[in-house]
Amino acid sequence: MTTTPSSLRLLRRAFSTSVQGGDPAAAAAGLKSVHDFLYRERSLKRLVAQFKKSSAFDHFRTKIGTYQYAVRRLASARRFDMIEEILEEQKKYRDIAKEGFAVRIISLYGRSGMFENAQKLFDEMPELSCERTVLSLNALLGACVNSKKFDRMEELFRELPGKLSIDSDSVSYNIAIKGYCAMGSLDTAISMLDEMEKKGLEPDLVTFNTLLSGLYLGKRAADGDKIWARMEEKNTVPDVRSYNAKLFGLVSQKKMKEAVETVKEMRMKGTNPDIFSINALIKGFAQCGNLSDAKLWYSEIGNSNFDPDKTTFGTLIPLACQEGDVDFAYELCEEIFKICCLVDGAVLQIVVDELVKESRIEEVEKLVQLGKVLTDRWFLLRRQ
């Protein structure tokens, strides 16, 4: 797809006539056409050029999802220079004086691992006539954690609020706790709870879930249980993420009886397991070589409102082949194609190899053909 005079006229017409003219329906249609236009562009250079031209229009700058898509795509191609090009362009527009817009740019830099750029924009906000509050402070802390600049996070968290006369809030502490957990500084993360309360801030579900995940995955189940008890003392109701953190910890220790009891408990208390819960159990039984129970929990997905995913199939298929249940592995492959799940080719190859050993050539040919169809669909999705 190339950038032509007619395509540029499309951009102008989509925004200037629809948006400026005040017709909501036409504006929505115009935004969708430009949105599709950018999503289907194959050339990164042309995508950047079109994105920059589109940024001149007020309505385009409200499209958070389009910004996220463009940055994510450029980041996956490791074109950080292009990310900087489209995000620095945003400083030309009046929206940059709005803290919410500046926060979006800071966060996008952070998600791309470009902390220095995020810090630069934060420092420039006063000269851009943009007020800095705890909102932008938290965006900078989040960018720091997402960029894995943990030493800088600690420094900013401790020093920046005082320098700027900004009071940290619960979100600030949640980000810091996430950073400390990622660093492996679990004792410091736990100590933040007391510090929050001394400042008159109440930990919320995000606080507890972050700690639970860090502790249970860090094989500190006893401390995780203490945090769970503290969460209940605060009358904070655990959600599926809370239970999944406990599940992941139990599975990592191969405590499958306790893991199954945890799922029973969550159901009894009105929380339904999700695909991550089921995958955790399947993984646990797979690690024990227990195909029977892994299949039992796979069957639970059929009674749910979610589909199996790449992790489900990537765990079950090797286990089924290892245990000699090639028929079940083949059924799983058929399900992959039915729901168009994008799995690693190596997973399908395992089944093909087992079928070849049993001279089941007709089924091999069917899998190969379906694999080509799935690959074509994947290619089309990548192009969009």
Side-chain angles (χ1 to χ4, degrees):
M1 186 173 191
T2 58
T3 305
T4 63
S6 60
S7 67
L8 296 181
R9 284 197 295 274
L10 168 66
L11 289 173
R12 295 192 189 99
R13 184 167 65 251
F15 288 110
S16 60
T17 59
S18 303
V19 177
Q20 309 294 343
D23 182 346
L31 283 169
K32 186 179 186 305
S33 67
V34 174
H35 177 83
D36 293 343
F37 185 70
L38 288 168
Y39 270 60
R40 291 173 181 166
E41 180 54 74
R42 295 174 64 184
S43 164
L44 294 182
K45 286 186 177 180
R46 290 195 292 268
L47 182 145
V48 168
Q50 290 161 18
F51 192 99
K52 288 167 67 176
K53 288 181 173 68
S54 302
S55 296
F57 299 95
D58 291 349
H59 259 57
F60 180 83
R61 296 195 301 275
T62 68
K63 307 308 291 180
I64 296 174
T66 303
Y67 276 69
Q68 291 173 341
Y69 164 78
V71 169
R72 185 169 60 248
R73 185 171 165 193
L74 293 172
S76 68
R78 302 193 66 78
R79 290 307 305 264
F80 303 110
D81 57 326
M82 290 183 170
I83 294 175
E84 183 174 28
E85 186 176 347
I86 64 171
L87 295 185
E88 289 300 304
E89 179 81 3
Q90 308 308 308
K91 295 177 183 178
K92 292 168 49 176
Y93 305 110
R94 59 189 178 186
D95 288 349
I96 200 63
K98 301 174 183 176
E99 189 180 21
F101 187 78
V103 160
R104 187 202 306 176
I105 306 304
I106 290 171
S107 298
L108 288 170
Y109 272 133
R111 290 180 186 179
S112 306
M114 301 172 68
F115 174 70
E116 288 74 17
N117 295 75
Q119 172 87 68
K120 181 172 177 285
L121 176 53
F122 181 84
D123 292 341
E124 291 173 347
M125 285 174 67
E127 60 192 77
L128 294 169
S129 302
C130 186
E131 181 184 13
R132 293 185 297 194
T133 71
V134 71
L135 182 67
S136 46
L137 169 66
N138 290 341
L140 184 63
L141 289 172
C144 208
V145 171
N146 288 332
S147 300
K148 303 187 187 306
K149 303 284 187 180
F150 301 123
D151 53 339
R152 293 284 290 126
M153 178 218 70
E154 189 166 22
E155 177 187 338
L156 292 172
F157 178 75
R158 293 301 179 192
E159 298 179 7
L160 205 53
K163 287 182 180 178
L164 302 180
S165 300
I166 296 174
D167 291 327
S168 301
D169 62 8
S170 296
V171 176
S172 314
Y173 276 88
N174 287 345
I175 295 168
I177 289 171
K178 179 181 178 181
Y180 285 124
C181 287
M183 292 168 65
S185 300
L186 298 176
D187 290 325
T188 304
I190 294 171
S191 71
M192 301 294 274
L193 277 179
D194 292 327
E195 187 174 324
M196 287 179 74
E197 292 178 345
K198 286 177 183 176
K199 290 192 66 173
L201 300 172
E202 282 296 320
D204 57 17
L205 186 58
V206 174
T207 317
F208 289 115
N209 281 350
T210 305
L211 282 167
L212 291 172
S213 180
L215 292 167
Y216 283 125
L217 287 176
K219 298 184 178 180
R220 291 181 54 172
D223 288 319
D225 291 343
K226 289 177 184 176
I227 294 299
W228 191 286
R230 194 161 173 177
M231 176 173 65
E232 292 181 331
E233 288 171 8
K234 294 282 184 181
N235 294 317
T236 301
V237 179
D239 65 0
V240 68
R241 290 191 177 189
S242 317
Y243 283 105
N244 283 348
K246 182 180 282 191
L247 273 176
F248 297 151
L250 291 169
V251 166
S252 70
Q253 299 175 67
K254 296 187 178 181
K255 295 182 176 180
M256 296 312 300
K257 182 178 179 181
E258 292 91 331
V260 171
E261 289 300 319
T262 297
V263 173
K264 290 180 180 178
E265 177 190 334
M266 65 191 290
R267 282 176 167 160
M268 184 179 67
K269 294 187 176 180
T271 301
N272 290 320
D274 61 12
I275 187 59
F276 300 103
S277 318
I278 302 300
N279 280 345
L281 290 170
I282 290 173
K283 178 183 177 182
F285 285 117
Q287 288 173 340
C288 300
N290 186 338
L291 177 60
S292 177
D293 281 335
K295 288 173 72 172
L296 180 66
W297 283 101
Y298 173 72
S299 68
E300 293 267 336
I301 298 176
N303 302 320
S304 70
N305 60 356
F306 50 80
D307 288 326
D309 64 9
K310 178 179 179 179
T311 300
T312 317
F313 296 117
T315 305
L316 276 174
I317 287 177
L319 175 66
C321 291
Q322 177 186 313
E323 298 299 314
D325 195 341
V326 182
D327 288 339
F328 179 55
Y330 183 78
E331 289 173 17
L332 292 172
C333 289
E334 290 186 311
E335 183 66 14
I336 287 172
F337 300 125
K338 179 182 176 183
I339 65 175
C340 297
C341 181
L342 300 176
V343 301
D344 293 332
V347 173
L348 299 177
Q349 188 63 48
I350 294 172
V351 186
V352 169
D353 292 343
E354 292 300 316
L355 290 170
V356 169
K357 288 178 185 176
E358 298 183 7
S359 300
R360 296 164 65 170
I361 306 305
E362 185 177 335
E363 289 158 304
V364 168
E365 290 175 348
K366 183 178 179 181
L367 279 189
V368 170
Q369 185 58 39
L370 289 172
K372 288 179 180 178
V373 172
L374 189 65
T375 300
D376 290 342
R377 288 178 180 174
W378 177 82
F379 179 71
L380 288 172
L381 285 171
R382 288 281 300 220
R383 287 181 58 183
Q384 291 178 357

mmCIF file of all heavy atoms in Angstrom, residues 311-354:
data_model
loop_
_atom_site.group_PDB
_atom_site.id
_atom_site.type_symbol
_atom_site.label_atom_id
_atom_site.label_comp_id
_atom_site.label_asym_id
_atom_site.label_seq_id
_atom_site.Cartn_x
_atom_site.Cartn_y
_atom_site.Cartn_z
ATOM 1 N N THR A 311 -1.273 -21.584 25.073
ATOM 2 C CA THR A 311 -0.654 -22.261 26.215
ATOM 3 C C THR A 311 -1.315 -23.612 26.475
ATOM 4 O O THR A 311 -0.634 -24.604 26.775
ATOM 5 C CB THR A 311 -0.746 -21.373 27.471
ATOM 6 O OG1 THR A 311 -0.065 -20.148 27.232
ATOM 7 C CG2 THR A 311 -0.126 -22.062 28.675
ATOM 8 N N THR A 312 -2.638 -23.658 26.369
ATOM 9 C CA THR A 312 -3.370 -24.909 26.581
ATOM 10 C C THR A 312 -2.853 -25.996 25.645
ATOM 11 O O THR A 312 -2.487 -27.097 26.071
ATOM 12 C CB THR A 312 -4.875 -24.700 26.322
ATOM 13 O OG1 THR A 312 -5.326 -23.476 26.907
ATOM 14 C CG2 THR A 312 -5.681 -25.866 26.880
ATOM 15 N N PHE A 313 -2.837 -25.663 24.362
ATOM 16 C CA PHE A 313 -2.424 -26.648 23.365
ATOM 17 C C PHE A 313 -0.930 -26.956 23.468
ATOM 18 O O PHE A 313 -0.510 -28.100 23.284
ATOM 19 C CB PHE A 313 -2.767 -26.142 21.961
ATOM 20 C CG PHE A 313 -4.243 -25.990 21.717
ATOM 21 C CD1 PHE A 313 -4.800 -24.745 21.450
ATOM 22 C CD2 PHE A 313 -5.082 -27.090 21.763
ATOM 23 C CE1 PHE A 313 -6.153 -24.595 21.224
ATOM 24 C CE2 PHE A 313 -6.456 -26.961 21.545
ATOM 25 C CZ PHE A 313 -6.989 -25.712 21.270
ATOM 26 N N GLY A 314 -0.146 -25.922 23.752
ATOM 27 C CA GLY A 314 1.297 -26.123 23.859
ATOM 28 C C GLY A 314 1.683 -27.011 25.026
ATOM 29 O O GLY A 314 2.785 -27.588 25.040
ATOM 30 N N THR A 315 0.802 -27.136 26.009
ATOM 31 C CA THR A 315 1.049 -28.023 27.156
ATOM 32 C C THR A 315 0.493 -29.422 26.906
ATOM 33 O O THR A 315 1.156 -30.430 27.158
ATOM 34 C CB THR A 315 0.394 -27.443 28.430
ATOM 35 O OG1 THR A 315 0.868 -26.119 28.648
ATOM 36 C CG2 THR A 315 0.729 -28.300 29.644
ATOM 37 N N LEU A 316 -0.734 -29.484 26.382
ATOM 38 C CA LEU A 316 -1.420 -30.768 26.258
ATOM 39 C C LEU A 316 -0.897 -31.652 25.124
ATOM 40 O O LEU A 316 -0.784 -32.868 25.284
ATOM 41 C CB LEU A 316 -2.923 -30.535 26.059
ATOM 42 C CG LEU A 316 -3.756 -30.331 27.326
ATOM 43 C CD1 LEU A 316 -5.177 -29.959 26.958
ATOM 44 C CD2 LEU A 316 -3.746 -31.584 28.193
ATOM 45 N N ILE A 317 -0.596 -31.052 23.979
ATOM 46 C CA ILE A 317 -0.199 -31.868 22.826
ATOM 47 C C ILE A 317 1.093 -32.645 23.078
ATOM 48 O O ILE A 317 1.137 -33.867 22.857
ATOM 49 C CB ILE A 317 -0.119 -31.000 21.558
ATOM 50 C CG1 ILE A 317 -1.538 -30.651 21.097
ATOM 51 C CG2 ILE A 317 0.647 -31.706 20.447
ATOM 52 C CD1 ILE A 317 -1.620 -29.736 19.892
ATOM 53 N N PRO A 318 2.154 -31.999 23.573
ATOM 54 C CA PRO A 318 3.363 -32.789 23.871
ATOM 55 C C PRO A 318 3.102 -33.877 24.915
ATOM 56 O O PRO A 318 3.647 -34.984 24.813
ATOM 57 C CB PRO A 318 4.342 -31.734 24.395
ATOM 58 C CG PRO A 318 3.882 -30.445 23.798
ATOM 59 C CD PRO A 318 2.394 -30.557 23.779
ATOM 60 N N LEU A 319 2.269 -33.562 25.916
ATOM 61 C CA LEU A 319 1.960 -34.552 26.949
ATOM 62 C C LEU A 319 1.219 -35.745 26.355
ATOM 63 O O LEU A 319 1.541 -36.900 26.651
ATOM 64 C CB LEU A 319 1.116 -33.899 28.051
ATOM 65 C CG LEU A 319 0.609 -34.838 29.151
ATOM 66 C CD1 LEU A 319 1.788 -35.395 29.965
ATOM 67 C CD2 LEU A 319 -0.377 -34.112 30.072
ATOM 68 N N ALA A 320 0.214 -35.462 25.503
ATOM 69 C CA ALA A 320 -0.570 -36.539 24.894
ATOM 70 C C ALA A 320 0.315 -37.449 24.047
ATOM 71 O O ALA A 320 0.202 -38.680 24.111
ATOM 72 C CB ALA A 320 -1.697 -35.948 24.050
ATOM 73 N N CYS A 321 1.208 -36.842 23.256
ATOM 74 C CA CYS A 321 2.108 -37.641 22.417
ATOM 75 C C CYS A 321 3.093 -38.440 23.271
ATOM 76 O O CYS A 321 3.388 -39.601 22.990
ATOM 77 C CB CYS A 321 2.851 -36.735 21.439
ATOM 78 S SG CYS A 321 1.779 -36.023 20.160
ATOM 79 N N GLN A 322 3.559 -37.820 24.321
ATOM 80 C CA GLN A 322 4.491 -38.498 25.235
ATOM 81 C C GLN A 322 3.848 -39.718 25.881
ATOM 82 O O GLN A 322 4.497 -40.749 26.087
ATOM 83 C CB GLN A 322 4.933 -37.500 26.305
ATOM 84 C CG GLN A 322 5.851 -38.070 27.382
ATOM 85 C CD GLN A 322 6.129 -37.046 28.477
ATOM 86 O OE1 GLN A 322 6.445 -35.894 28.202
ATOM 87 N NE2 GLN A 322 5.974 -37.466 29.711
ATOM 88 N N GLU A 323 2.559 -39.579 26.179
ATOM 89 C CA GLU A 323 1.842 -40.671 26.841
ATOM 90 C C GLU A 323 1.189 -41.636 25.845
ATOM 91 O O GLU A 323 0.446 -42.536 26.248
ATOM 92 C CB GLU A 323 0.774 -40.096 27.781
ATOM 93 C CG GLU A 323 1.331 -39.248 28.911
ATOM 94 C CD GLU A 323 2.256 -40.038 29.826
ATOM 95 O OE1 GLU A 323 1.874 -41.161 30.207
ATOM 96 O OE2 GLU A 323 3.362 -39.551 30.129
ATOM 97 N N GLY A 324 1.438 -41.416 24.553
ATOM 98 C CA GLY A 324 0.941 -42.344 23.543
ATOM 99 C C GLY A 324 -0.495 -42.154 23.124
ATOM 100 O O GLY A 324 -1.064 -43.005 22.425
ATOM 101 N N ASP A 325 -1.116 -41.053 23.514
ATOM 102 C CA ASP A 325 -2.515 -40.807 23.138
ATOM 103 C C ASP A 325 -2.545 -39.886 21.907
ATOM 104 O O ASP A 325 -2.886 -38.705 21.980
ATOM 105 C CB ASP A 325 -3.263 -40.156 24.300
ATOM 106 C CG ASP A 325 -4.777 -40.204 24.119
ATOM 107 O OD1 ASP A 325 -5.230 -40.408 22.979
ATOM 108 O OD2 ASP A 325 -5.501 -40.015 25.116
ATOM 109 N N VAL A 326 -2.182 -40.470 20.758
ATOM 110 C CA VAL A 326 -2.091 -39.685 19.524
ATOM 111 C C VAL A 326 -3.479 -39.249 19.060
ATOM 112 O O VAL A 326 -3.630 -38.182 18.458
ATOM 113 C CB VAL A 326 -1.362 -40.482 18.429
ATOM 114 C CG1 VAL A 326 -1.214 -39.642 17.157
ATOM 115 C CG2 VAL A 326 0.010 -40.925 18.921
ATOM 116 N N ASP A 327 -4.494 -40.054 19.327
ATOM 117 C CA ASP A 327 -5.861 -39.685 18.927
ATOM 118 C C ASP A 327 -6.279 -38.379 19.600
ATOM 119 O O ASP A 327 -6.865 -37.496 18.965
ATOM 120 C CB ASP A 327 -6.848 -40.799 19.310
ATOM 121 C CG ASP A 327 -6.700 -42.029 18.435
ATOM 122 O OD1 ASP A 327 -6.160 -41.895 17.320
ATOM 123 O OD2 ASP A 327 -7.111 -43.120 18.877
ATOM 124 N N PHE A 328 -5.989 -38.258 20.881
ATOM 125 C CA PHE A 328 -6.342 -37.025 21.602
ATOM 126 C C PHE A 328 -5.524 -35.855 21.060
ATOM 127 O O PHE A 328 -6.056 -34.746 20.879
ATOM 128 C CB PHE A 328 -6.091 -37.194 23.101
ATOM 129 C CG PHE A 328 -6.390 -35.973 23.919
ATOM 130 C CD1 PHE A 328 -7.634 -35.364 23.870
ATOM 131 C CD2 PHE A 328 -5.420 -35.417 24.746
ATOM 132 C CE1 PHE A 328 -7.919 -34.225 24.625
ATOM 133 C CE2 PHE A 328 -5.693 -34.287 25.502
ATOM 134 C CZ PHE A 328 -6.937 -33.690 25.445
ATOM 135 N N ALA A 329 -4.255 -36.077 20.766
ATOM 136 C CA ALA A 329 -3.411 -35.009 20.207
ATOM 137 C C ALA A 329 -3.985 -34.548 18.875
ATOM 138 O O ALA A 329 -4.003 -33.341 18.583
ATOM 139 C CB ALA A 329 -1.977 -35.507 20.028
ATOM 140 N N TYR A 330 -4.455 -35.487 18.069
ATOM 141 C CA TYR A 330 -5.046 -35.139 16.774
ATOM 142 C C TYR A 330 -6.336 -34.336 16.975
ATOM 143 O O TYR A 330 -6.593 -33.360 16.265
ATOM 144 C CB TYR A 330 -5.334 -36.409 15.973
ATOM 145 C CG TYR A 330 -5.869 -36.126 14.587
ATOM 146 C CD1 TYR A 330 -5.024 -35.723 13.563
ATOM 147 C CD2 TYR A 330 -7.233 -36.263 14.306
ATOM 148 C CE1 TYR A 330 -5.518 -35.460 12.290
ATOM 149 C CE2 TYR A 330 -7.737 -36.006 13.052
ATOM 150 C CZ TYR A 330 -6.878 -35.604 12.040
ATOM 151 O OH TYR A 330 -7.363 -35.324 10.789
ATOM 152 N N GLU A 331 -7.152 -34.731 17.950
ATOM 153 C CA GLU A 331 -8.386 -33.982 18.258
ATOM 154 C C GLU A 331 -8.058 -32.544 18.662
ATOM 155 O O GLU A 331 -8.766 -31.604 18.287
ATOM 156 C CB GLU A 331 -9.145 -34.669 19.397
ATOM 157 C CG GLU A 331 -9.791 -35.993 19.023
ATOM 158 C CD GLU A 331 -10.383 -36.691 20.242
ATOM 159 O OE1 GLU A 331 -10.581 -36.006 21.280
ATOM 160 O OE2 GLU A 331 -10.639 -37.910 20.169
ATOM 161 N N LEU A 332 -6.986 -32.392 19.424
ATOM 162 C CA LEU A 332 -6.573 -31.046 19.835
ATOM 163 C C LEU A 332 -6.176 -30.213 18.620
ATOM 164 O O LEU A 332 -6.496 -29.016 18.544
ATOM 165 C CB LEU A 332 -5.413 -31.129 20.823
ATOM 166 C CG LEU A 332 -5.733 -31.717 22.203
ATOM 167 C CD1 LEU A 332 -4.443 -31.915 22.999
ATOM 168 C CD2 LEU A 332 -6.683 -30.799 22.974
ATOM 169 N N CYS A 333 -5.502 -30.844 17.666
ATOM 170 C CA CYS A 333 -5.123 -30.114 16.449
ATOM 171 C C CYS A 333 -6.357 -29.657 15.689
ATOM 172 O O CYS A 333 -6.401 -28.532 15.175
ATOM 173 C CB CYS A 333 -4.261 -31.005 15.548
ATOM 174 S SG CYS A 333 -2.604 -31.313 16.186
ATOM 175 N N GLU A 334 -7.356 -30.526 15.613
ATOM 176 C CA GLU A 334 -8.594 -30.140 14.933
ATOM 177 C C GLU A 334 -9.255 -28.952 15.635
ATOM 178 O O GLU A 334 -9.807 -28.055 14.981
ATOM 179 C CB GLU A 334 -9.554 -31.329 14.891
ATOM 180 C CG GLU A 334 -9.098 -32.433 13.950
ATOM 181 C CD GLU A 334 -10.131 -33.535 13.805
ATOM 182 O OE1 GLU A 334 -10.628 -34.015 14.852
ATOM 183 O OE2 GLU A 334 -10.442 -33.920 12.666
ATOM 184 N N GLU A 335 -9.186 -28.940 16.961
ATOM 185 C CA GLU A 335 -9.746 -27.822 17.717
ATOM 186 C C GLU A 335 -8.959 -26.540 17.448
ATOM 187 O O GLU A 335 -9.534 -25.446 17.361
ATOM 188 C CB GLU A 335 -9.735 -28.140 19.211
ATOM 189 C CG GLU A 335 -10.355 -27.075 20.100
ATOM 190 C CD GLU A 335 -11.849 -26.892 19.897
ATOM 191 O OE1 GLU A 335 -12.485 -27.761 19.254
ATOM 192 O OE2 GLU A 335 -12.392 -25.874 20.354
ATOM 193 N N ILE A 336 -7.654 -26.653 17.307
ATOM 194 C CA ILE A 336 -6.808 -25.493 16.988
ATOM 195 C C ILE A 336 -7.293 -24.831 15.712
ATOM 196 O O ILE A 336 -7.465 -23.614 15.636
ATOM 197 C CB ILE A 336 -5.328 -25.927 16.837
ATOM 198 C CG1 ILE A 336 -4.728 -26.245 18.207
ATOM 199 C CG2 ILE A 336 -4.508 -24.831 16.137
ATOM 200 C CD1 ILE A 336 -3.344 -26.870 18.131
ATOM 201 N N PHE A 337 -7.534 -25.662 14.678
ATOM 202 C CA PHE A 337 -7.958 -25.107 13.392
ATOM 203 C C PHE A 337 -9.393 -24.586 13.467
ATOM 204 O O PHE A 337 -9.729 -23.590 12.830
ATOM 205 C CB PHE A 337 -7.829 -26.167 12.300
ATOM 206 C CG PHE A 337 -6.423 -26.660 12.129
ATOM 207 C CD1 PHE A 337 -6.121 -28.014 12.199
ATOM 208 C CD2 PHE A 337 -5.380 -25.768 11.912
ATOM 209 C CE1 PHE A 337 -4.823 -28.462 12.054
ATOM 210 C CE2 PHE A 337 -4.084 -26.213 11.766
ATOM 211 C CZ PHE A 337 -3.797 -27.558 11.825
ATOM 212 N N LYS A 338 -10.214 -25.243 14.261
ATOM 213 C CA LYS A 338 -11.614 -24.826 14.388
ATOM 214 C C LYS A 338 -11.734 -23.429 14.971
ATOM 215 O O LYS A 338 -12.543 -22.611 14.513
ATOM 216 C CB LYS A 338 -12.365 -25.833 15.267
ATOM 217 C CG LYS A 338 -13.826 -25.483 15.501
ATOM 218 C CD LYS A 338 -14.475 -26.521 16.415
ATOM 219 C CE LYS A 338 -15.913 -26.139 16.752
ATOM 220 N NZ LYS A 338 -16.530 -27.117 17.703
ATOM 221 N N ILE A 339 -10.919 -23.132 16.006
ATOM 222 C CA ILE A 339 -11.018 -21.817 16.656
ATOM 223 C C ILE A 339 -9.943 -20.845 16.151
ATOM 224 O O ILE A 339 -9.830 -19.732 16.653
ATOM 225 C CB ILE A 339 -10.926 -21.937 18.192
ATOM 226 C CG1 ILE A 339 -9.544 -22.453 18.620
ATOM 227 C CG2 ILE A 339 -12.034 -22.832 18.727
ATOM 228 C CD1 ILE A 339 -9.348 -22.468 20.130
ATOM 229 N N CYS A 340 -9.162 -21.295 15.154
ATOM 230 C CA CYS A 340 -8.115 -20.442 14.556
ATOM 231 C C CYS A 340 -7.122 -19.927 15.603
ATOM 232 O O CYS A 340 -6.810 -18.728 15.644
ATOM 233 C CB CYS A 340 -8.734 -19.260 13.804
ATOM 234 S SG CYS A 340 -9.740 -19.766 12.408
ATOM 235 N N CYS A 341 -6.680 -20.831 16.456
ATOM 236 C CA CYS A 341 -5.699 -20.467 17.475
ATOM 237 C C CYS A 341 -4.299 -20.529 16.863
ATOM 238 O O CYS A 341 -3.936 -21.515 16.214
ATOM 239 C CB CYS A 341 -5.788 -21.432 18.656
ATOM 240 S SG CYS A 341 -4.630 -21.076 19.992
ATOM 241 N N LEU A 342 -3.529 -19.476 17.033
ATOM 242 C CA LEU A 342 -2.188 -19.412 16.462
ATOM 243 C C LEU A 342 -1.182 -20.052 17.414
ATOM 244 O O LEU A 342 -0.817 -19.473 18.425
ATOM 245 C CB LEU A 342 -1.810 -17.942 16.186
ATOM 246 C CG LEU A 342 -2.726 -17.216 15.204
ATOM 247 C CD1 LEU A 342 -2.322 -15.760 15.078
ATOM 248 C CD2 LEU A 342 -2.699 -17.881 13.842
ATOM 249 N N VAL A 343 -0.769 -21.264 17.068
ATOM 250 C CA VAL A 343 0.179 -21.996 17.905
ATOM 251 C C VAL A 343 1.515 -22.116 17.177
ATOM 252 O O VAL A 343 1.601 -21.892 15.972
ATOM 253 C CB VAL A 343 -0.352 -23.405 18.252
ATOM 254 C CG1 VAL A 343 -1.671 -23.324 18.982
ATOM 255 C CG2 VAL A 343 -0.486 -24.258 16.995
ATOM 256 N N ASP A 344 2.540 -22.483 17.911
ATOM 257 C CA ASP A 344 3.850 -22.696 17.303
ATOM 258 C C ASP A 344 3.802 -23.906 16.378
ATOM 259 O O ASP A 344 3.224 -24.942 16.715
ATOM 260 C CB ASP A 344 4.913 -22.929 18.383
ATOM 261 C CG ASP A 344 5.166 -21.688 19.223
ATOM 262 O OD1 ASP A 344 4.969 -20.589 18.686
ATOM 263 O OD2 ASP A 344 5.549 -21.826 20.400
ATOM 264 N N GLY A 345 4.435 -23.772 15.221
ATOM 265 C CA GLY A 345 4.454 -24.868 14.266
ATOM 266 C C GLY A 345 5.083 -26.122 14.835
ATOM 267 O O GLY A 345 4.708 -27.244 14.474
ATOM 268 N N ALA A 346 6.030 -25.941 15.762
ATOM 269 C CA ALA A 346 6.711 -27.092 16.359
ATOM 270 C C ALA A 346 5.736 -27.978 17.121
ATOM 271 O O ALA A 346 5.925 -29.201 17.210
ATOM 272 C CB ALA A 346 7.819 -26.610 17.290
ATOM 273 N N VAL A 347 4.685 -27.384 17.668
ATOM 274 C CA VAL A 347 3.683 -28.156 18.412
ATOM 275 C C VAL A 347 2.923 -29.077 17.466
ATOM 276 O O VAL A 347 2.715 -30.268 17.744
ATOM 277 C CB VAL A 347 2.713 -27.216 19.159
ATOM 278 C CG1 VAL A 347 1.574 -28.007 19.790
ATOM 279 C CG2 VAL A 347 3.461 -26.423 20.215
ATOM 280 N N LEU A 348 2.518 -28.543 16.316
ATOM 281 C CA LEU A 348 1.819 -29.355 15.325
ATOM 282 C C LEU A 348 2.740 -30.429 14.744
ATOM 283 O O LEU A 348 2.298 -31.540 14.446
ATOM 284 C CB LEU A 348 1.288 -28.458 14.199
ATOM 285 C CG LEU A 348 0.279 -27.386 14.600
ATOM 286 C CD1 LEU A 348 -0.096 -26.533 13.400
ATOM 287 C CD2 LEU A 348 -0.968 -28.022 15.199
ATOM 288 N N GLN A 349 4.015 -30.096 14.597
ATOM 289 C CA GLN A 349 4.962 -31.041 14.030
ATOM 290 C C GLN A 349 5.093 -32.292 14.891
ATOM 291 O O GLN A 349 5.296 -33.400 14.381
ATOM 292 C CB GLN A 349 6.334 -30.378 13.873
ATOM 293 C CG GLN A 349 7.352 -31.218 13.106
ATOM 294 C CD GLN A 349 6.921 -31.483 11.670
ATOM 295 O OE1 GLN A 349 6.527 -30.569 10.958
ATOM 296 N NE2 GLN A 349 6.981 -32.748 11.249
ATOM 297 N N ILE A 350 4.962 -32.116 16.207
ATOM 298 C CA ILE A 350 5.025 -33.271 17.115
ATOM 299 C C ILE A 350 3.955 -34.289 16.748
ATOM 300 O O ILE A 350 4.207 -35.500 16.685
ATOM 301 C CB ILE A 350 4.844 -32.821 18.583
ATOM 302 C CG1 ILE A 350 6.020 -31.941 19.028
ATOM 303 C CG2 ILE A 350 4.710 -34.025 19.510
ATOM 304 C CD1 ILE A 350 5.815 -31.303 20.394
ATOM 305 N N VAL A 351 2.740 -33.790 16.469
ATOM 306 C CA VAL A 351 1.631 -34.674 16.124
ATOM 307 C C VAL A 351 1.870 -35.322 14.762
ATOM 308 O O VAL A 351 1.634 -36.526 14.577
ATOM 309 C CB VAL A 351 0.294 -33.909 16.135
ATOM 310 C CG1 VAL A 351 -0.866 -34.882 15.907
ATOM 311 C CG2 VAL A 351 0.107 -33.176 17.458
ATOM 312 N N VAL A 352 2.314 -34.513 13.807
ATOM 313 C CA VAL A 352 2.600 -35.039 12.473
ATOM 314 C C VAL A 352 3.617 -36.188 12.562
ATOM 315 O O VAL A 352 3.450 -37.247 11.945
ATOM 316 C CB VAL A 352 3.134 -33.926 11.545
ATOM 317 C CG1 VAL A 352 3.677 -34.517 10.244
ATOM 318 C CG2 VAL A 352 2.030 -32.915 11.246
ATOM 319 N N ASP A 353 4.660 -35.989 13.336
ATOM 320 C CA ASP A 353 5.700 -37.026 13.477
ATOM 321 C C ASP A 353 5.128 -38.315 14.065
ATOM 322 O O ASP A 353 5.474 -39.425 13.617
ATOM 323 C CB ASP A 353 6.838 -36.517 14.369
ATOM 324 C CG ASP A 353 7.635 -35.400 13.716
ATOM 325 O OD1 ASP A 353 7.526 -35.231 12.483
ATOM 326 O OD2 ASP A 353 8.353 -34.683 14.446
ATOM 327 N N GLU A 354 4.255 -38.168 15.067
ATOM 328 C CA GLU A 354 3.659 -39.360 15.687
ATOM 329 C C GLU A 354 2.718 -40.076 14.712
ATOM 330 O O GLU A 354 2.669 -41.313 14.670
ATOM 331 C CB GLU A 354 2.905 -38.971 16.962
ATOM 332 C CG GLU A 354 3.796 -38.487 18.089
ATOM 333 C CD GLU A 354 4.804 -39.541 18.527
ATOM 334 O OE1 GLU A 354 4.409 -40.725 18.665
ATOM 335 O OE2 GLU A 354 5.979 -39.184 18.718
#
